[in-house]
Amino acid sequence: MSDEQTAAPTNGRRISQRGIATRERILEAANRLMLVRGVNATTLDDIREASQTSKSQLYHHFADKQELVRALVRYRGALVLQRERGGLERLRSFSGLVRWRNALVQANSLNNGKYGCGLGSMALELSDQDEQARSSLSETFAAWERLISDGLHRMRDSGLLRQDADPEKLATGLMAALQGGYLLANAAHDVAPMEVALDMALEHIKSFLVQPAPRPTSHTVGDQAAKML
């Protein structure tokens, strides 16, 4: 398909392949800027300059800042869920949870804990401003949480977690610890609070692990034999 041929409709409009690339460039620029500066402090002119697009190009794809922000919520949510599926869709063990925790902490340490969670920071700014954006963010958080609870369900079904473990509640607690950890790490510019929050949540999950029966030692076997005589 050439640049001039039309592609799938976006926001009710059919756009060319070149237009799709331009729209993606605008969203990528908005994502970078709003992660660092926040939604309210980033202007359309900032995004236009960073994406190297004209006003006519920007307004062709987004009627106003609200429409752009709503698209960015979906864009950023898709990126986060794509990343999280890589670490959580195959989750079947507690060591898998630890690896997931380590990956998130390591990634956040690259910025010394600054900026927090891209979704969480948008939720803080937008929840009282835009109901549609809030609803979209809520759906993304719920999907993220389901990835965790599905992994905990697999652990329980395989006998690694006790049957009285509640995967949904444990997933909610872990997500709350993660988001709170992001917030505290952002305030401190240090990932240490994030590590503490996640480790405490993981310790709670660990308390539901089924402990394997201890292997008998030769001394134990000798004692059992003596009792049988």
Side-chain angles (χ1 to χ4, degrees):
M1 180 179 289
S2 71
D3 287 344
E4 299 307 318
Q5 290 176 291
T6 57
T10 302
N11 292 336
R13 299 185 294 268
R14 295 181 67 82
I15 58 177
S16 67
Q17 288 296 307
R18 181 178 294 173
I20 290 174
T22 300
R23 187 176 190 274
E24 188 79 3
R25 194 166 70 249
I26 292 169
L27 286 171
E28 287 174 354
N31 191 38
R32 292 193 306 272
L33 290 176
M34 290 185 179
L35 179 63
V36 175
R37 301 180 183 178
V39 173
N40 293 326
T42 303
T43 68
L44 289 180
D45 283 340
D46 293 332
I47 296 166
R48 183 178 56 78
E49 181 178 353
S51 62
Q52 296 184 325
T53 52
S54 65
K55 285 188 177 181
S56 62
Q57 285 176 310
L58 191 148
Y59 285 109
H60 173 75
H61 294 284
F62 305 101
D64 52 28
K65 184 177 179 181
Q66 183 181 64
E67 185 175 320
L68 172 57
V69 169
R70 288 174 176 176
L72 179 60
V73 167
R74 297 189 296 272
Y75 175 85
R76 188 177 289 181
L79 290 177
V80 168
L81 290 179
Q82 181 181 29
R83 180 197 71 199
E84 292 302 289
R85 289 188 185 102
L88 293 171
E89 281 190 333
R90 296 184 299 275
L91 177 64
R92 296 180 180 276
S93 66
F94 187 77
S95 61
L97 272 177
V98 173
R99 287 193 296 271
W100 170 79
R101 169 264 191 217
N102 291 344
L104 290 176
V105 170
Q106 183 178 23
N108 202 28
S109 70
L110 298 177
N111 295 318
N112 295 320
K114 293 186 291 185
Y115 314 133
C117 171
L119 292 177
S121 60
M122 292 188 87
L124 287 173
E125 285 197 81
L126 298 175
S127 291
D128 294 332
Q129 299 178 14
D130 188 331
E131 176 59 22
Q132 184 174 318
R134 184 208 63 77
S135 178
S136 183
L137 285 163
S138 179
E139 290 173 3
T140 303
F141 277 119
W144 190 352
E145 198 171 306
R146 279 196 301 274
L147 288 171
I148 299 173
S149 64
D150 286 348
L152 295 173
H153 269 290
R154 288 190 290 271
M155 291 171 63
R156 192 179 67 177
D157 292 344
S158 66
L160 292 177
L161 286 180
R162 300 200 314 258
Q163 288 302 304
D164 62 330
D166 187 326
E168 281 72 30
K169 288 184 178 180
L170 291 174
T172 297
L174 184 54
M175 179 61 73
L178 174 61
Q179 293 303 318
Y182 270 126
L183 179 63
L184 293 175
N186 186 21
H189 285 187
D190 186 346
V191 296
M194 179 184 183
E195 292 182 289
V196 171
L198 284 173
D199 287 346
M200 292 187 71
L202 289 180
E203 279 298 315
H204 181 58
I205 294 174
K206 189 176 181 180
S207 71
F208 287 93
L209 289 176
V210 174
Q211 299 299 320
R215 295 181 178 179
T217 63
S218 57
H219 177 72
T220 304
V221 171
D223 289 345
Q224 291 175 340
K227 289 179 182 179
M228 294 174 65
L229 295 176

Short mmCIF file of all heavy atoms in Angstrom, two decimals, residues 167-214:
data_model
loop_
_atom_site.label_atom_id
_atom_site.label_comp_id
_atom_site.label_asym_id
_atom_site.label_seq_id
_atom_site.Cartn_x
_atom_site.Cartn_y
_atom_site.Cartn_z
N PRO A 167 -6.41 -14.98 44.99
CA PRO A 167 -5.58 -14.33 43.97
C PRO A 167 -5.99 -12.90 43.66
O PRO A 167 -5.12 -12.04 43.42
CB PRO A 167 -5.74 -15.23 42.75
CG PRO A 167 -6.04 -16.59 43.32
CD PRO A 167 -6.90 -16.29 44.51
N GLU A 168 -7.30 -12.62 43.63
CA GLU A 168 -7.75 -11.26 43.31
C GLU A 168 -7.32 -10.26 44.38
O GLU A 168 -6.81 -9.17 44.06
CB GLU A 168 -9.27 -11.24 43.13
CG GLU A 168 -9.76 -11.75 41.79
CD GLU A 168 -9.62 -13.28 41.65
OE1 GLU A 168 -9.70 -13.97 42.68
OE2 GLU A 168 -9.45 -13.76 40.53
N LYS A 169 -7.51 -10.63 45.64
CA LYS A 169 -7.12 -9.71 46.72
C LYS A 169 -5.61 -9.55 46.78
O LYS A 169 -5.09 -8.44 47.01
CB LYS A 169 -7.66 -10.21 48.05
CG LYS A 169 -9.16 -10.05 48.21
CD LYS A 169 -9.62 -10.47 49.60
CE LYS A 169 -11.12 -10.26 49.76
NZ LYS A 169 -11.59 -10.67 51.11
N LEU A 170 -4.88 -10.64 46.59
CA LEU A 170 -3.42 -10.55 46.61
C LEU A 170 -2.92 -9.69 45.45
O LEU A 170 -1.96 -8.92 45.62
CB LEU A 170 -2.81 -11.95 46.53
CG LEU A 170 -3.01 -12.85 47.75
CD1 LEU A 170 -2.48 -14.25 47.48
CD2 LEU A 170 -2.33 -12.26 48.99
N ALA A 171 -3.56 -9.80 44.30
CA ALA A 171 -3.17 -8.99 43.14
C ALA A 171 -3.45 -7.51 43.40
O ALA A 171 -2.64 -6.65 43.04
CB ALA A 171 -3.90 -9.47 41.89
N THR A 172 -4.59 -7.21 44.02
CA THR A 172 -4.92 -5.82 44.35
C THR A 172 -3.89 -5.25 45.32
O THR A 172 -3.42 -4.11 45.16
CB THR A 172 -6.32 -5.72 44.95
OG1 THR A 172 -7.29 -6.15 43.98
CG2 THR A 172 -6.65 -4.29 45.35
N GLY A 173 -3.53 -6.03 46.33
CA GLY A 173 -2.53 -5.58 47.30
C GLY A 173 -1.18 -5.33 46.66
O GLY A 173 -0.50 -4.34 46.96
N LEU A 174 -0.78 -6.22 45.75
CA LEU A 174 0.50 -6.07 45.07
C LEU A 174 0.48 -4.85 44.16
O LEU A 174 1.45 -4.10 44.08
CB LEU A 174 0.82 -7.34 44.29
CG LEU A 174 2.17 -7.40 43.58
CD1 LEU A 174 3.31 -7.10 44.56
CD2 LEU A 174 2.37 -8.77 42.93
N MET A 175 -0.63 -4.64 43.45
CA MET A 175 -0.74 -3.47 42.58
C MET A 175 -0.71 -2.17 43.39
O MET A 175 -0.07 -1.19 43.00
CB MET A 175 -2.02 -3.54 41.75
CG MET A 175 -2.24 -2.35 40.84
SD MET A 175 -0.94 -2.11 39.61
CE MET A 175 -1.30 -3.47 38.50
N ALA A 176 -1.39 -2.17 44.54
CA ALA A 176 -1.38 -0.99 45.39
C ALA A 176 0.03 -0.71 45.90
O ALA A 176 0.47 0.46 45.95
CB ALA A 176 -2.34 -1.18 46.56
N ALA A 177 0.76 -1.76 46.26
CA ALA A 177 2.14 -1.59 46.72
C ALA A 177 3.02 -1.05 45.60
O ALA A 177 3.87 -0.17 45.81
CB ALA A 177 2.69 -2.92 47.22
N LEU A 178 2.81 -1.55 44.39
CA LEU A 178 3.59 -1.10 43.24
C LEU A 178 3.34 0.38 42.96
O LEU A 178 4.30 1.16 42.82
CB LEU A 178 3.23 -1.93 42.01
CG LEU A 178 3.85 -1.49 40.69
CD1 LEU A 178 5.36 -1.54 40.75
CD2 LEU A 178 3.33 -2.36 39.54
N GLN A 179 2.08 0.78 42.90
CA GLN A 179 1.77 2.18 42.58
C GLN A 179 2.20 3.11 43.71
O GLN A 179 2.71 4.21 43.45
CB GLN A 179 0.28 2.33 42.28
CG GLN A 179 -0.15 1.64 41.00
CD GLN A 179 0.62 2.10 39.78
OE1 GLN A 179 0.87 3.30 39.61
NE2 GLN A 179 1.01 1.16 38.93
N GLY A 180 2.00 2.68 44.95
CA GLY A 180 2.49 3.49 46.08
C GLY A 180 4.00 3.59 46.07
O GLY A 180 4.58 4.64 46.37
N GLY A 181 4.65 2.49 45.71
CA GLY A 181 6.11 2.50 45.63
C GLY A 181 6.61 3.45 44.55
O GLY A 181 7.59 4.17 44.75
N TYR A 182 5.94 3.44 43.40
CA TYR A 182 6.30 4.39 42.33
C TYR A 182 6.18 5.83 42.83
O TYR A 182 7.04 6.67 42.58
CB TYR A 182 5.37 4.21 41.13
CG TYR A 182 5.84 3.22 40.09
CD1 TYR A 182 5.01 2.17 39.69
CD2 TYR A 182 7.07 3.36 39.46
CE1 TYR A 182 5.42 1.27 38.70
CE2 TYR A 182 7.49 2.48 38.48
CZ TYR A 182 6.65 1.43 38.11
OH TYR A 182 7.06 0.55 37.12
N LEU A 183 5.10 6.13 43.54
CA LEU A 183 4.86 7.49 44.02
C LEU A 183 5.93 7.92 45.01
O LEU A 183 6.49 9.03 44.91
CB LEU A 183 3.47 7.56 44.67
CG LEU A 183 3.06 8.92 45.25
CD1 LEU A 183 2.97 9.96 44.15
CD2 LEU A 183 1.71 8.79 45.96
N LEU A 184 6.25 7.06 45.97
CA LEU A 184 7.26 7.40 46.98
C LEU A 184 8.65 7.50 46.36
O LEU A 184 9.45 8.36 46.75
CB LEU A 184 7.25 6.37 48.10
CG LEU A 184 5.98 6.34 48.95
CD1 LEU A 184 6.05 5.18 49.96
CD2 LEU A 184 5.77 7.66 49.69
N ALA A 185 8.94 6.62 45.40
CA ALA A 185 10.24 6.68 44.72
C ALA A 185 10.37 7.98 43.94
O ALA A 185 11.45 8.59 43.90
CB ALA A 185 10.40 5.48 43.79
N ASN A 186 9.28 8.43 43.34
CA ASN A 186 9.29 9.69 42.61
C ASN A 186 9.55 10.86 43.54
O ASN A 186 10.34 11.76 43.25
CB ASN A 186 7.95 9.86 41.88
CG ASN A 186 7.93 11.08 40.98
OD1 ASN A 186 8.97 11.59 40.58
ND2 ASN A 186 6.74 11.56 40.66
N ALA A 187 8.89 10.84 44.69
CA ALA A 187 9.08 11.93 45.65
C ALA A 187 10.50 11.97 46.20
O ALA A 187 11.08 13.04 46.41
CB ALA A 187 8.07 11.80 46.80
N ALA A 188 11.09 10.79 46.42
CA ALA A 188 12.42 10.70 47.01
C ALA A 188 13.53 10.73 45.96
O ALA A 188 14.70 10.90 46.31
CB ALA A 188 12.54 9.42 47.83
N HIS A 189 13.16 10.54 44.68
CA HIS A 189 14.16 10.34 43.62
C HIS A 189 15.11 9.21 44.01
O HIS A 189 16.33 9.30 43.87
CB HIS A 189 14.94 11.63 43.33
CG HIS A 189 14.15 12.64 42.56
ND1 HIS A 189 14.70 13.81 42.08
CD2 HIS A 189 12.84 12.66 42.17
CE1 HIS A 189 13.78 14.50 41.43
NE2 HIS A 189 12.64 13.82 41.48
N ASP A 190 14.50 8.14 44.49
CA ASP A 190 15.24 6.98 44.99
C ASP A 190 14.30 5.79 44.93
O ASP A 190 13.14 5.89 45.39
CB ASP A 190 15.70 7.24 46.43
CG ASP A 190 16.60 6.14 46.98
OD1 ASP A 190 16.66 5.05 46.37
OD2 ASP A 190 17.22 6.37 48.02
N VAL A 191 14.75 4.66 44.39
CA VAL A 191 13.86 3.50 44.26
C VAL A 191 13.71 2.71 45.55
O VAL A 191 12.91 1.76 45.60
CB VAL A 191 14.34 2.54 43.14
CG1 VAL A 191 14.28 3.21 41.78
CG2 VAL A 191 15.74 2.01 43.44
N ALA A 192 14.44 3.08 46.61
CA ALA A 192 14.39 2.30 47.85
C ALA A 192 12.97 2.14 48.40
O ALA A 192 12.58 1.03 48.79
CB ALA A 192 15.31 2.91 48.90
N PRO A 193 12.13 3.20 48.45
CA PRO A 193 10.76 3.00 48.96
C PRO A 193 9.95 2.03 48.10
O PRO A 193 9.12 1.29 48.62
CB PRO A 193 10.16 4.41 48.91
CG PRO A 193 11.33 5.33 48.93
CD PRO A 193 12.40 4.62 48.16
N MET A 194 10.19 2.04 46.80
CA MET A 194 9.51 1.11 45.90
C MET A 194 9.91 -0.33 46.22
O MET A 194 9.06 -1.23 46.25
CB MET A 194 9.84 1.46 44.45
CG MET A 194 9.21 0.56 43.41
SD MET A 194 9.79 1.02 41.74
CE MET A 194 8.83 -0.12 40.74
N GLU A 195 11.18 -0.54 46.48
CA GLU A 195 11.67 -1.87 46.83
C GLU A 195 11.01 -2.36 48.12
O GLU A 195 10.57 -3.52 48.21
CB GLU A 195 13.19 -1.86 46.99
CG GLU A 195 13.94 -1.63 45.70
CD GLU A 195 15.45 -1.67 45.90
OE1 GLU A 195 15.98 -0.73 46.52
OE2 GLU A 195 16.08 -2.65 45.47
N VAL A 196 10.94 -1.49 49.12
CA VAL A 196 10.35 -1.87 50.41
C VAL A 196 8.87 -2.22 50.23
O VAL A 196 8.40 -3.25 50.76
CB VAL A 196 10.51 -0.73 51.44
CG1 VAL A 196 9.70 -1.03 52.69
CG2 VAL A 196 11.98 -0.54 51.79
N ALA A 197 8.13 -1.39 49.51
CA ALA A 197 6.70 -1.63 49.31
C ALA A 197 6.45 -2.95 48.60
O ALA A 197 5.59 -3.75 49.01
CB ALA A 197 6.08 -0.47 48.53
N LEU A 198 7.19 -3.20 47.53
CA LEU A 198 7.00 -4.45 46.79
C LEU A 198 7.43 -5.66 47.61
O LEU A 198 6.76 -6.71 47.59
CB LEU A 198 7.80 -4.40 45.48
CG LEU A 198 7.21 -3.55 44.37
CD1 LEU A 198 8.18 -3.46 43.20
CD2 LEU A 198 5.86 -4.11 43.90
N ASP A 199 8.52 -5.53 48.35
CA ASP A 199 9.00 -6.67 49.14
C ASP A 199 8.02 -7.05 50.24
O ASP A 199 7.82 -8.23 50.53
CB ASP A 199 10.37 -6.37 49.74
CG ASP A 199 11.47 -6.38 48.68
OD1 ASP A 199 11.21 -6.87 47.57
OD2 ASP A 199 12.58 -5.89 48.97
N MET A 200 7.39 -6.06 50.84
CA MET A 200 6.40 -6.36 51.89
C MET A 200 5.18 -7.05 51.29
O MET A 200 4.62 -7.98 51.88
CB MET A 200 6.01 -5.08 52.63
CG MET A 200 7.14 -4.50 53.47
SD MET A 200 6.63 -3.10 54.50
CE MET A 200 5.62 -3.94 55.72
N ALA A 201 4.76 -6.60 50.10
CA ALA A 201 3.62 -7.25 49.44
C ALA A 201 3.97 -8.68 49.04
O ALA A 201 3.15 -9.59 49.17
CB ALA A 201 3.20 -6.44 48.21
N LEU A 202 5.19 -8.89 48.58
CA LEU A 202 5.61 -10.23 48.19
C LEU A 202 5.75 -11.14 49.41
O LEU A 202 5.46 -12.35 49.33
CB LEU A 202 6.93 -10.18 47.42
CG LEU A 202 6.87 -9.60 46.01
CD1 LEU A 202 8.25 -9.61 45.37
CD2 LEU A 202 5.88 -10.38 45.14
N GLU A 203 6.17 -10.59 50.53
CA GLU A 203 6.25 -11.39 51.76
C GLU A 203 4.86 -11.87 52.17
O GLU A 203 4.70 -12.99 52.66
CB GLU A 203 6.87 -10.57 52.89
CG GLU A 203 8.39 -10.52 52.86
CD GLU A 203 9.03 -11.89 53.01
OE1 GLU A 203 8.60 -12.66 53.90
OE2 GLU A 203 9.95 -12.20 52.23
N HIS A 204 3.85 -11.03 51.96
CA HIS A 204 2.49 -11.45 52.28
C HIS A 204 2.06 -12.59 51.38
O HIS A 204 1.47 -13.58 51.84
CB HIS A 204 1.53 -10.26 52.13
CG HIS A 204 0.11 -10.59 52.48
ND1 HIS A 204 -0.26 -11.07 53.72
CD2 HIS A 204 -1.03 -10.52 51.73
CE1 HIS A 204 -1.57 -11.29 53.72
NE2 HIS A 204 -2.05 -10.97 52.53
N ILE A 205 2.35 -12.48 50.09
CA ILE A 205 2.02 -13.57 49.17
C ILE A 205 2.80 -14.83 49.55
O ILE A 205 2.26 -15.95 49.53
CB ILE A 205 2.32 -13.16 47.72
CG1 ILE A 205 1.39 -12.02 47.28
CG2 ILE A 205 2.19 -14.35 46.77
CD1 ILE A 205 1.70 -11.45 45.91
N LYS A 206 4.05 -14.65 49.93
CA LYS A 206 4.90 -15.79 50.30
C LYS A 206 4.32 -16.56 51.48
O LYS A 206 4.50 -17.78 51.59
CB LYS A 206 6.30 -15.29 50.64
CG LYS A 206 7.34 -16.39 50.83
CD LYS A 206 8.71 -15.78 51.06
CE LYS A 206 9.76 -16.86 51.24
NZ LYS A 206 11.11 -16.27 51.47
N SER A 207 3.60 -15.85 52.35
CA SER A 207 3.02 -16.52 53.52
C SER A 207 1.94 -17.53 53.13
O SER A 207 1.55 -18.37 53.95
CB SER A 207 2.43 -15.48 54.48
OG SER A 207 1.25 -14.89 53.94
N PHE A 208 1.45 -17.47 51.89
CA PHE A 208 0.44 -18.41 51.41
C PHE A 208 1.05 -19.57 50.63
O PHE A 208 0.31 -20.43 50.14
CB PHE A 208 -0.59 -17.69 50.53
CG PHE A 208 -1.54 -16.82 51.29
CD1 PHE A 208 -1.28 -15.46 51.47
CD2 PHE A 208 -2.70 -17.36 51.85
CE1 PHE A 208 -2.16 -14.66 52.17
CE2 PHE A 208 -3.58 -16.56 52.56
CZ PHE A 208 -3.31 -15.20 52.72
N LEU A 209 2.38 -19.57 50.49
CA LEU A 209 3.01 -20.68 49.78
C LEU A 209 2.84 -21.98 50.56
O LEU A 209 2.90 -21.99 51.79
CB LEU A 209 4.50 -20.41 49.57
CG LEU A 209 4.88 -19.32 48.56
CD1 LEU A 209 6.39 -19.12 48.56
CD2 LEU A 209 4.39 -19.67 47.17
N VAL A 210 2.60 -23.05 49.83
CA VAL A 210 2.53 -24.37 50.45
C VAL A 210 3.95 -24.81 50.74
O VAL A 210 4.78 -24.91 49.82
CB VAL A 210 1.84 -25.39 49.52
CG1 VAL A 210 1.90 -26.79 50.11
CG2 VAL A 210 0.40 -24.98 49.28
N GLN A 211 4.24 -25.05 52.02
CA GLN A 211 5.58 -25.46 52.39
C GLN A 211 5.75 -26.96 52.15
O GLN A 211 4.96 -27.76 52.66
CB GLN A 211 5.85 -25.14 53.86
CG GLN A 211 5.77 -23.67 54.20
CD GLN A 211 6.78 -22.85 53.42
OE1 GLN A 211 7.91 -23.28 53.24
NE2 GLN A 211 6.35 -21.68 52.95
N PRO A 212 6.75 -27.36 51.38
CA PRO A 212 6.95 -28.80 51.15
C PRO A 212 7.34 -29.51 52.43
O PRO A 212 7.97 -28.92 53.32
CB PRO A 212 8.09 -28.83 50.13
CG PRO A 212 8.82 -27.54 50.33
CD PRO A 212 7.77 -26.54 50.73
N ALA A 213 6.91 -30.77 52.55
CA ALA A 213 7.26 -31.56 53.74
C ALA A 213 8.77 -31.74 53.78
O ALA A 213 9.41 -31.98 52.76
CB ALA A 213 6.57 -32.92 53.68
N PRO A 214 9.38 -31.61 54.97
CA PRO A 214 10.84 -31.78 55.07
C PRO A 214 11.26 -33.20 54.71
O PRO A 214 10.56 -34.16 55.03
CB PRO A 214 11.13 -31.46 56.54
CG PRO A 214 9.85 -31.71 57.26
CD PRO A 214 8.76 -31.36 56.28
#
